[in-house]
Amino acid sequence: MEELKKQLKAQIIEALNLQDIKPEDIEDNAPLFGEGLGLDSIDSLELMVLLERHYQIRVEDPREGRKILQSVQSMAEFIQSKQPA
Amino acid sequence: MKVKCYIQGIAAITPQHTFEGDIFAQPLESCSSNLLSVREPDYKAYIPANSLRRMSRMLKMGLTTAIKCLQDSGLGAPGAIVTGTGKGSLQDTERFLKDIRQYNERALNPTPFIQSTYNAVNGMIAVQQQCTTYNNTFVHRGFSFEHALLDSMLLLQEGTPHTLTGAFDEMTEEHCYIKSRIGMWKTEKVNSAQLYEHPSPGTIAGEGAVFFALSARATAQSYARIAGLQLFYKPQPGFLAAALPAFLQQQGLSPRDIDLVLTGRNADSNYAHFYQQLEAPLPGACQLPFKHLCGEYETAGAFATWLAAHILKAQQAPRQWFPMVPAFPERVERILLYNHFFGEQHVLMLLERAGAHGG
């Protein structure tokens, strides 16, 4: 799980071209939208694309997406839940 | 009817040092790769970092030039935003097309798609300026900028107090290669500063973003008046012999009223005969070629308009950029601009010193 979160943070920084931010600057439970990283609705679409490209997970329901993209922790838990046991 | 179109503010990001500082003191920049790339400024001074991270090169160039132009004009929010572009944001278009292929039309990133649309720069300017007025982008190859200008002149004539009018085009390595396959560029590598010494098929590529704040009223700050504009699509090879005197006559002028001619000459032997026609109707007129400064691209005419506006306002040319021109006129009241894009879209434009001739 820790390795997955570390990898996810690096992928988020690369996909969203976050300037001057390192993976260690992103807290696991910090909100990605609003206060935390200050991401917006276009970024949420980019994160959906990230999940599909890197983890082959397609989020069909936008309401589900809101919960999944709350933080790095919630994204990692979702990815792990979709991976074969 | 006298055209009331005054240039009140300008800004340009080009292969020369045109964005900041005194252009009359800037050195001539050249390249030997047959592609003149723009000198990009530090965008952070103009665009918030959080917005900047998502923008591609073309968007950053266009938006920054527009902001700087409005600052230069002191006019505030524009009454209309009108632009022209031949290719829009190529970088985004290429990225989007590559993604379609790589990901089998699934998992497509929205940002390059949004930004690849031609009017993305206009949209960004409107959002940034909170400007909900008329907003239009013209995409007409070598007429793109000129149609934006024509539309702006009509808007001013109809009562719009001022417009933000611009042009932007970028060149990518891949697109440059594609165009080389259809013979647009020279096959031999040429130093851009010596471009005119190498007449052969093809020319050198370029890019740039130029914006103008246009107003129907002249002020002490005005750079110049755009006094006339005429477009010709695929004309006959000898068309200028009749078209140029007729254009001048339409403005109530004769050839000797033209102090300076800006010509889009680009050492492309396929189309050099068009520029050679300028000699007969304008004998002895000082001609300044400008393609060694900006390269060839669809909206290079905007660069020439920017240059003409500076010359008319300062009453001097950046001489260090024209080592091939032995003598410049002492006073410049009127500049004629003649440019064409690979022999298809031809433009005649007349610019006058603001405040002169009752303007």
Side-chain angles (χ1 to χ4, degrees), chain A residues 16-17 40 43 46 53, chain B residues 53-54 99 106-107 109 111:
Chain A
L16 305 183
N17 193 22
D40 60 22
D43 293 315
E46 303 252 17
R53 284 187 184 177
Chain B
R53 70 182 165 86
R54 200 182 287 140
D99 282 357
R106 290 175 66 90
N109 195 318
T111 303

Side-chain angles (χ1 to χ4, degrees), chain B residues 11-189:
Chain B
I13 295 177
T14 76
Q16 303 301 318
H17 298 275
T18 52
F19 189 69
E20 281 162 319
D22 175 14
I23 65 155
F24 300 98
Q26 302 290 356
L28 167 63
E29 292 294 340
S30 61
C31 77
S32 298
S33 60
N34 289 6
L35 168 57
L36 274 164
S37 300
V38 300
R39 313 189 77 78
E40 292 182 80
D42 180 8
Y43 297 116
K44 284 181 189 160
Y46 297 88
I47 305 171
N50 207 31
S51 306
L52 206 51
R53 70 182 165 86
R54 200 182 287 140
M55 289 184 195
S56 62
R57 187 168 171 265
M58 188 71 267
L59 257 77
K60 286 188 272 194
M61 272 165 60
L63 180 57
T64 303
T65 314
I67 292 169
K68 175 99 173 177
C69 175
L70 287 172
Q71 286 174 356
D72 183 53
S73 73
L75 288 173
I81 301 170
V82 195
T83 63
T85 180
K87 301 184 288 284
S89 177
L90 264 184
Q91 199 184 59
D92 285 302
T93 306
E94 287 174 359
R95 200 176 141 203
F96 184 65
L97 291 174
K98 277 177 190 165
D99 282 357
I100 287 177
R101 187 168 173 270
Q102 187 176 352
Y103 297 103
N104 290 322
E105 301 182 26
R106 290 175 66 90
L108 296 176
N109 195 318
T111 303
F113 171 66
I114 295 165
Q115 295 184 166
S116 69
T117 53
Y118 293 111
N119 55 1
V121 170
N122 274 37
M124 284 284 183
I125 299 167
V127 169
Q128 207 271 349
Q129 293 293 314
Q130 299 187 326
C131 177
T132 54
T133 54
Y134 184 91
N135 193 311
N136 209 350
T137 301
F138 290 86
V139 186
H140 301 317
R141 298 199 73 202
F143 279 156
S144 302
F145 166 64
E146 288 74 14
H147 272 115
L149 189 56
L150 192 59
D151 194 24
S152 303
M153 290 161 89
L154 290 169
L155 285 164
L156 293 175
Q157 220 63 39
E158 288 172 354
T160 303
H162 44 79
T163 68
L164 177 66
T165 304
F168 47 87
D169 270 301
E170 70 170 334
M171 181 55 81
T172 62
E173 206 175 309
E174 193 157 344
H175 195 78
C176 199
Y177 170 71
I178 292 168
K179 290 285 167 74
S180 75
R181 298 286 302 273
I182 54 171
M184 279 185 143
W185 319 130
K186 291 186 182 300
T187 49
E188 72 279 19
K189 296 289 180 207

Side-chain angles (χ1 to χ4, degrees), chain A residues 8-9 12-13 16 18 21 25-41 43-44 47-48 50-51 65-76, chain B residues 50 53:
Chain A
L8 204 46
K9 287 174 188 175
I12 290 170
I13 288 168
L16 305 183
L18 298 175
I21 292 181
D25 296 335
I26 306 174
E27 289 176 32
D28 293 355
N29 289 301
L32 293 174
F33 297 86
E35 288 173 18
L37 285 180
L39 305 184
D40 60 22
S41 57
D43 293 315
S44 70
L47 291 179
M48 299 284 206
L50 184 155
L51 288 174
R66 188 173 286 187
K67 281 185 217 160
I68 298 163
L69 302 179
Q70 265 177 359
S71 63
V72 169
Q73 181 70 33
S74 62
M75 283 180 78
Chain B
N50 207 31
R53 70 182 165 86

Side-chain angles (χ1 to χ4, degrees), chain B residues 3 5 149 153 224-230 247-248 250-254 257-260 305 308 312 333-338 347-353:
Chain B
V3 179
C5 180
L149 189 56
M153 290 161 89
R225 181 170 84 95
I226 296 173
L229 177 67
Q230 196 165 356
F247 175 72
L248 293 178
Q250 209 175 26
Q251 322 298 327
L253 301 173
S254 71
D257 293 316
I258 302 301
D259 303 304
L260 199 62
T305 308
L312 285 164
E333 297 291 323
R334 294 185 188 88
I335 294 179
L336 177 74
L337 163 63
Y338 170 56
V347 178
L348 282 172
M349 192 192 299
L350 180 72
L351 291 104
E352 275 184 359
R353 189 167 66 86

